[in-house]
Amino acid sequence: MADGASSSAAGTTRRPGFTLDQLVLERGLAPADTLARARLVQEETGEPLDTVLTRLGMVSEQALAAAIAEAAGLRIAIAADFPAEALAADRLSPRFLRDARAVPLRDTGAAVEVAFVDPLSTDTRHALAFALKRPVVPLVARSGDLEIALDRLYPEALAGPGEAGGADEADVERLKDLSSDAPVVRAVNALIGRAVEAQASDIHIEPSEDSLKIRLRIDGALRDEDPLPPHLKAAFVSRIKVMAGLNIAERRLPQDGRLRLAVRGHEIDLRVATAPTIHGESVVMRILDRSNLPLDFESLGFDADTLARFLRVLRQPHGIVLVTGPTGSGKTTTLYAALAAMNTAERKILTIEDPIEYRLAGINQTQVAPQIGLTFASALRSFLRQDPDVMMVGEIRDLETAQVAVQAALTGHTILSTLHTNGAAAAVTRLLDMGVEPFLITSTLNAVLAQRLVRRLCPHCREPFSPTPETFKALGVNPTGLQHLWRPVGCDDCGGAGFKGRIALLELLITDAETERLVLARAEARDIQAAAGLRTMLEDGLVKARAGLTTLDEVLRVTREG
């Protein structure tokens, strides 16, 4: 089909008695005043109504697609539905498909299945049926999914005028021009929007010889996205570097930056890190979505008993509270939740972090800058002159920081911080190994919370099952109380993964007279743990596995060493 056909194909004829406006109101996707604002924006920009609603965050892509699919009796197209190669490329131009926001999926012989962002447009369907000489069977597509598929299947539509096989990477001005091209801007924004909607924590962009590989880290696990063609490597990475304020001419050294943009109507912070590889620069973007930050302890995995004990510790007038675990175990999120619980008008709270991951209202946050002498220890010393009640130190890494924290606790302040240890009791021996005197630890340490993150089972599709005795034997687990567990299945709500979100396994050590006696005797971590009688992370995990919050495999994955 020629490009000229796109104008007639992009009509807005609807099925009788069924419009997108009515659907949004009837399904409660947005109130009438929000819909009215969207119509005003639509009149000013000329964009389709559904694009305005999702771009401004009034309605999520998933919610809109699900409502259209249910109302029209259609299926939602998933990633596996999109073809590996363009279908009917000789009869359908990329420009027409972009205007129509449609992608042919498969030819069954009798008909052609086509994914539409707006399948209610009968004119578009008729135009496609005429060009394909087959009836069209519509499916509903999320706009982000469809844009990614169009970029992958029809890369020529992304190329700038006169661009053949990619950018001349030696020409910095050319890179700047490429990075500002509307199709590249749209492709980067679509990827970020899709990642935010999927609640991904990181976006991995990895160049290879024949493509630009895209992966999202969701609930701690990486998932492949549709790759982008190789000629986009320079433009795509350059666009991200421009957004993050990095030097696009420097491709030999790693760079770090940060950017903020509005996605789905709210502000998103992204930390950007680039690194040179043999096929170009790889990029990792850490997504810091403040609207998705769980600051309530229940959603983090605290049961009633553990929460009550932890809050009692936080209410103590002074002392040190440590949160331990490996990188990526949710320590900072737990500290932020603790700060939120302590953040009252009567308290002054200061933090020193590396880096500041989320901005918390009412709390004075500072980022370390070692190049000018602003370290954890030096910042903590200066904080003492600011008359604080609570101070949070991102991490106790060395003896100097530990000693300043101890002195601050001895002078009547509450200190929150993290350590990299495998368990709660091991934090005590770690402080001893650093060189902190035992009597200072017993005088200041109130509690240690160790944690690990496991994937949370999707509550909509999880199913119960009874493991066989052989399974328990192979895992080396006592089957007592574990005869009925849960396992993942996969559904539309969790994207077919069977898991949605993460939950912490917790181990809370509160110091008492017996643990203090063992610390003074420089006892081993296992002796301190045994004397404390605490519920270990493994035991906490087994309780959560029985409750259907996670799986036995997940619990064993994070609690077993080696």
Side-chain angles (χ1 to χ4, degrees), residues 87-108:
L87 194 69
D90 57 333
R91 283 173 282 172
L92 299 173
S93 75
R95 179 181 166 188
F96 165 74
L97 292 174
R98 284 192 180 277
D99 289 345
R101 294 182 301 156
V103 169
L105 302 178
R106 64 179 64 86
D107 189 341
T108 65

Side-chain angles (χ1 to χ4, degrees), residues 219 297-304 453-459 462-463 484-488 498-505 535 540-552 554-555:
D219 297 335
F297 289 105
E298 184 178 352
S299 67
L300 293 175
F302 283 74
D303 59 31
L453 290 179
V454 294
R455 291 182 292 174
R456 186 193 290 265
L457 277 168
C458 174
R462 64 182 181 179
E463 67 176 18
H484 302 290
L485 295 174
W486 300 76
R487 59 188 173 195
F499 296 93
K500 189 172 184 180
R502 290 191 286 178
I503 190 171
L505 308 186
R535 184 169 78 178
D540 185 47
L542 295 179
V543 170
K544 287 167 179 168
R546 282 196 298 269
L549 297 176
T550 188
T551 66
L552 182 59
E554 280 289 295
V555 172

Side-chain angles (χ1 to χ4, degrees), residues 322 324 395-399 402 418-437 441 445 448 519 522-525 528:
L322 297 175
T324 76
E395 183 185 349
I396 294 179
R397 297 175 178 171
D398 49 43
L399 177 59
T418 70
L419 272 179
H420 285 278
T421 63
N422 291 327
V428 176
T429 55
R430 175 78 176 114
L431 292 174
L432 290 170
D433 291 342
M434 280 184 181
V436 181
E437 292 296 333
I441 296 176
L445 186 63
V448 182
V519 172
R522 294 182 178 270
E524 296 288 336
I528 296 173

Side-chain angles (χ1 to χ4, degrees), residues 505-508 529 533-541 559:
L505 308 186
L506 304 168
E507 179 178 292
L508 179 60
Q529 178 172 310
L534 52 80
R535 184 169 78 178
T536 66
M537 283 182 284
L538 174 60
E539 292 166 342
D540 185 47
T559 58

Side-chain angles (χ1 to χ4, degrees), residues 343-545:
N343 189 16
T344 63
E346 296 78 27
R347 288 192 180 100
K348 178 166 185 175
I349 301 177
L350 304 174
T351 76
I352 177 68
E353 306 172 52
D354 182 21
I356 297 173
E357 294 196 7
Y358 297 93
R359 289 162 175 80
L360 302 175
I363 293 175
N364 300 279
Q365 296 173 268
T366 303
Q367 180 160 320
V368 298
Q371 65 274 17
I372 59 172
L374 184 60
T375 63
F376 283 129
S378 64
L380 200 51
R381 285 195 189 91
S382 69
F383 283 176
L384 292 172
R385 297 190 290 273
Q386 297 289 316
D387 188 29
D389 298 291
V390 179
M391 292 176 282
M392 192 267 271
V393 185
E395 183 185 349
I396 294 179
R397 297 175 178 171
D398 49 43
L399 177 59
E400 183 185 13
T401 307
Q403 288 175 331
V404 178
V406 166
Q407 292 301 320
L410 287 172
T411 53
H413 302 88
T414 298
I415 307 295
L416 306 180
S417 191
T418 70
L419 272 179
H420 285 278
T421 63
N422 291 327
V428 176
T429 55
R430 175 78 176 114
L431 292 174
L432 290 170
D433 291 342
M434 280 184 181
V436 181
E437 292 296 333
F439 74 92
L440 292 176
I441 296 176
T442 59
S443 302
T444 57
L445 186 63
N446 292 340
V448 182
L449 179 73
Q451 66 180 63
R452 299 284 193 282
L453 290 179
V454 294
R455 291 182 292 174
R456 186 193 290 265
L457 277 168
C458 174
H460 297 96
C461 64
R462 64 182 181 179
E463 67 176 18
F465 79 108
S466 299
T468 63
E470 291 75 18
T471 300
F472 288 117
K473 185 176 181 180
L475 294 173
V477 175
N478 186 338
T480 304
L482 299 175
Q483 287 78 14
H484 302 290
L485 295 174
W486 300 76
R487 59 188 173 195
V489 177
C491 65
D492 288 341
D493 196 66
C494 61
F499 296 93
K500 189 172 184 180
R502 290 191 286 178
I503 190 171
L505 308 186
L506 304 168
E507 179 178 292
L508 179 60
L509 169 66
I510 298 177
T511 56
D512 57 16
E514 179 60 20
T515 56
E516 289 176 0
R517 182 186 67 80
L518 291 171
V519 172
L520 290 172
R522 294 182 178 270
E524 296 288 336
R526 61 177 176 270
D527 298 326
I528 296 173
Q529 178 172 310
L534 52 80
R535 184 169 78 178
T536 66
M537 283 182 284
L538 174 60
E539 292 166 342
D540 185 47
L542 295 179
V543 170
K544 287 167 179 168

Side-chain angles (χ1 to χ4, degrees), residues 47-243:
E47 295 176 303
L49 179 60
D50 58 89
T51 299
V52 174
L53 289 168
T54 56
R55 179 172 60 81
L56 297 182
M58 298 171 174
V59 181
S60 74
E61 290 182 2
Q62 173 62 32
L64 188 61
I68 293 173
E70 183 180 351
L74 303 176
R75 183 169 70 84
I76 295 180
I78 61 175
D81 289 317
F82 290 95
E85 296 181 356
L87 194 69
D90 57 333
R91 283 173 282 172
L92 299 173
S93 75
R95 179 181 166 188
F96 165 74
L97 292 174
R98 284 192 180 277
D99 289 345
R101 294 182 301 156
V103 169
L105 302 178
R106 64 179 64 86
D107 189 341
T108 65
V112 178
E113 294 183 356
V114 180
F116 296 89
V117 172
D118 179 12
L120 307 180
S121 174
T122 54
D123 286 352
T124 302
R125 300 212 325 265
H126 292 157
L128 276 167
F130 178 78
L132 295 168
K133 297 181 172 55
R134 297 244 199 317
V136 166
V137 177
L139 279 74
V140 183
R142 291 177 285 263
S143 60
D145 293 348
L146 192 119
E147 287 177 6
I148 289 173
L150 284 170
D151 293 345
R152 175 174 58 83
L153 296 170
Y154 305 95
E156 62 272 23
L158 280 174
E163 184 181 348
D168 177 8
E169 295 191 3
D171 187 349
V172 174
E173 292 304 317
R174 178 65 169 159
L175 284 176
K176 289 180 180 177
D177 292 341
L178 287 172
S179 68
S180 62
D181 279 350
V184 174
V185 172
R186 185 171 62 244
V188 172
N189 290 345
L191 173 61
I192 294 174
R194 177 178 172 81
V196 170
E197 187 159 299
Q199 297 185 3
S201 60
D202 302 86
I203 304 172
H204 291 249
I205 300 163
E206 302 163 343
S208 63
E209 190 172 0
D210 56 358
S211 69
L212 190 62
K213 187 176 183 179
I214 308 292
R215 296 194 289 175
L216 304 182
R217 188 176 294 280
I218 301 173
D219 297 335
L222 284 171
R223 297 189 196 173
D224 285 331
E225 295 288 300
D226 289 336
L228 296 176
H231 75 266
L232 277 182
K233 286 193 292 188
F236 201 87
V237 172
S238 293
R239 173 60 187 169
I240 295 170
K241 292 172 72 174
V242 167
M243 294 169 69

